[in-house]
Amino acid sequence: MKYKNQIEIPYLTGSSLPVLKYPMLEEISCIRHLFTTRMGGVSEDIYESLNLSFDRGDERERVLENYRRVAEYLGVRLEDIVTSKQTHTTNVRVVSHDDGGAGIVNERTYEDVDGLVTNEKGLVLATFYADCVPLYFVDPVREVIALSHSGWRGTAGKIGKVTIETMTKEFQTDPCDVICAIGPSICQECYEVSREVAIQFPKEVSYQKANGKYQLDLWRANELVLLEAGVLPEHIETTKLCTCCNQKELFSHRASHGRRGNLGAFLMLV
């Protein structure tokens, strides 16, 4: 695959489940991680093929099989995965094995959660995307991990900073130790927003077009949030991989006009 504005990311074409990984995270021995593509699943039509959403009209058994394939790749059970309930908030929840299977084989006991944090080994955090920004957090010193979903609302609300503050408050994480990855999401060229949205961000992350609309750079905006939170510049890896530019391989809400499935970010301590 050839991606626009990409950096080198291992792409596992030889696997039955093609996934994306981040070189900086691959160097950390205490975790496993991945970001799914559209490929390697059993869903059909607009959900083809590895759709991870139960809420967009796909057949439940197909989605469950897609989750089983991800779980098998990670070497876990469905009961070991805990999912977010994303509503574009900055709410971050600390989760444990008591939450295992939530949103897949068990009912969630929570609502309005866009970020997940844990220090429990073997528990897989999962968040979902189709243009918004996946944020991965790993504290290899305290062995704490987090995943957060950051659309424009979450980015404006600095969910990346809220996530790190939660890691610090609950598990004494030092932000200087945190390794972060900013995952596949919509690029600035593809992301047109109104002035009302653009003015909520620093001027350096948007530019105005001749039609009065703005182009917003969510990648850089999230980098600035992480830097403000105390993450070191050399500890941030940004994929610069656009979901909208690569809709054959990645689900994109904007490119598909909402007719799509969900991609997934997964992260666990081992």
Side-chain angles (χ1 to χ4, degrees), residues 2 27 40 43 64 67 75 79 81 91 104 118 136 139 167-168 173 190-191 200 210 219 251 259-260:
K2 293 182 179 179
E27 295 176 2
S43 295
L64 275 174
Y67 273 102
E79 292 81 3
I81 303 173
N91 297 334
I104 304 175
T118 194
Y136 293 70
D139 173 0
M167 296 169 71
T168 298
T173 285
C190 291
Y191 195 37
Q200 299 183 52
W219 298 336
F251 290 116
R259 292 171 50 79
R260 48 81 180 175

Side-chain angles (χ1 to χ4, degrees), residues 13-60:
T13 53
S15 170
S16 59
L17 184 69
V19 298
L20 296 167
K21 295 188 177 183
Y22 309 95
M24 194 177 292
L25 298 188
E26 280 284 84
E27 295 176 2
I28 304 173
S29 60
C30 67
I31 65 163
R32 293 178 192 159
H33 79 284
L34 62 84
F35 189 82
T36 63
T37 68
R38 294 186 64 156
M39 296 167 283
V42 298
S43 295
E44 298 178 347
D45 195 30
I46 63 173
Y47 312 109
E48 187 180 353
S49 69
L50 194 79
N51 168 41
L52 296 171
S53 173
F54 291 105
D55 302 323
R56 303 197 66 84
D58 197 0
E59 295 180 22
R60 179 172 177 80

Side-chain angles (χ1 to χ4, degrees), residues 110-130:
Y110 49 88
E111 299 285 338
D112 303 319
V113 170
D114 283 76
L116 302 170
V117 178
T118 194
N119 70 339
E120 296 194 9
K121 295 182 178 181
L123 182 66
V124 183
L125 308 183
T127 53
F128 307 98
Y129 305 89

Side-chain angles (χ1 to χ4, degrees), residues 250-265:
L250 304 168
F251 290 116
S252 169
H253 186 83
R254 185 156 293 205
S256 66
H257 305 285
R259 292 171 50 79
R260 48 81 180 175
N262 273 353
L263 305 163

Side-chain angles (χ1 to χ4, degrees), residues 105-170:
V105 293
N106 298 323
E107 292 292 326
R108 295 186 190 90
T109 59
Y110 49 88
E111 299 285 338
D112 303 319
V113 170
D114 283 76
L116 302 170
V117 178
T118 194
N119 70 339
E120 296 194 9
K121 295 182 178 181
L123 182 66
V124 183
L125 308 183
T127 53
F128 307 98
Y129 305 89
D131 281 338
C132 293
V133 182
L135 299 176
Y136 293 70
F137 306 80
V138 180
D139 173 0
V141 176
R142 296 284 183 174
E143 295 197 349
V144 182
I145 58 172
L147 274 178
S148 287
H149 161 264
S150 189
W152 76 258
R153 291 180 179 84
T155 305
K158 302 182 179 181
I159 191 172
K161 184 178 180 181
V162 173
T163 304
I164 289 175
E165 289 172 345
T166 303
M167 296 169 71
T168 298
K169 177 182 177 181
E170 298 294 332

